[in-house]
Amino acid sequence: MSYTDRIPSILNEYDPTQQQVEALIDAMTLAMVSEGEVPDKERRELEEALDQLDRQDGARLERYVESSLEASREVIESNTVRERVASVSDRLDDDRLREEAYFLGARITAIDAEVVSDETDVLTTFVDVFEIPRDRLKLLTRKLRTQL
């Protein structure tokens, strides 16, 4: 299942607010920049997700992505990942959306077939802060493996 399938499912099932959509974007951008660079494959994956998240105001959402990428770079440089993830968690305000944020972040880091230790650290922080139960994490990991 690609983003073209996954994102509409999220939008239909959860009907996220603009704040929640922005938090999902923040999770993806934080995962993307965690290795210090944004590989082309990951950038294309984000753009595909953005196309699916774009419900009305594409220009605004695109500007938000650029601002989120910059903020995520600053978070990585200042080593405030846990605080950023806590902010994402608060704005998502729903355990199922937190799982989706983890899944989208994990998918975007794995798309280039290489997950480096910095990316793993960020994903581990997602799991800790989002308080994803071990059984749910196993399910999400299996789902991710089948989609790559």
Side-chain angles (χ1 to χ4, degrees):
M1 178 184 290
S2 70
Y3 280 128
T4 54
D5 299 322
R6 187 81 196 145
I7 301 288
S9 171
I10 294 169
L11 296 177
N12 289 332
E13 186 172 343
Y14 305 112
D15 191 28
T17 64
Q18 184 67 29
Q19 176 177 295
Q20 290 169 321
V21 168
E22 290 173 358
L24 289 169
I25 290 169
D26 288 343
M28 287 186 286
T29 61
L30 185 57
M32 279 177 65
V33 304
S34 60
E35 69 179 290
E37 59 184 58
V38 180
D40 288 340
K41 276 186 159 182
E42 290 181 10
R43 176 61 110 154
R44 284 191 300 275
E45 191 77 359
L46 179 65
E47 288 169 0
E48 183 180 334
L50 179 60
D51 287 344
Q52 296 302 312
L53 286 169
D54 177 15
R55 294 190 280 189
Q56 291 150 357
D57 188 1
R60 183 192 176 299
L61 209 48
E62 194 168 313
R63 283 191 305 274
Y64 186 81
V65 167
E66 291 308 316
S67 136
S68 180
L69 281 166
E70 184 58 35
S72 292
R73 285 183 188 100
E74 291 172 11
V75 163
I76 296 297
E77 289 173 11
S78 65
N79 198 25
T80 56
V81 172
R82 183 166 287 281
E83 292 83 355
R84 179 70 165 185
V85 174
S87 168
V88 166
S89 182
D90 290 345
R91 289 179 289 140
L92 288 171
D93 194 35
D94 183 285
D95 287 340
R96 295 168 305 159
L97 282 175
R98 289 180 185 104
E99 288 180 9
E100 294 293 350
Y102 168 81
F103 181 84
L104 294 172
R107 180 182 166 90
I108 211 159
T109 61
I111 200 66
D112 61 359
E114 180 182 346
V115 179
V116 298
S117 64
D118 290 337
E119 291 171 322
T120 302
D121 291 346
V122 168
L123 294 175
T124 300
T125 302
F126 283 2
V127 172
D128 292 345
V129 173
F130 295 166
E131 298 179 349
I132 299 174
R134 184 175 301 278
D135 62 326
R136 294 294 301 158
L137 182 59
K138 286 180 182 178
L139 178 69
L140 292 167
T141 301
R142 268 186 298 212
K143 190 175 0 175
L144 182 64
R145 286 186 182 138
T146 63
Q147 293 185 20
L148 295 176

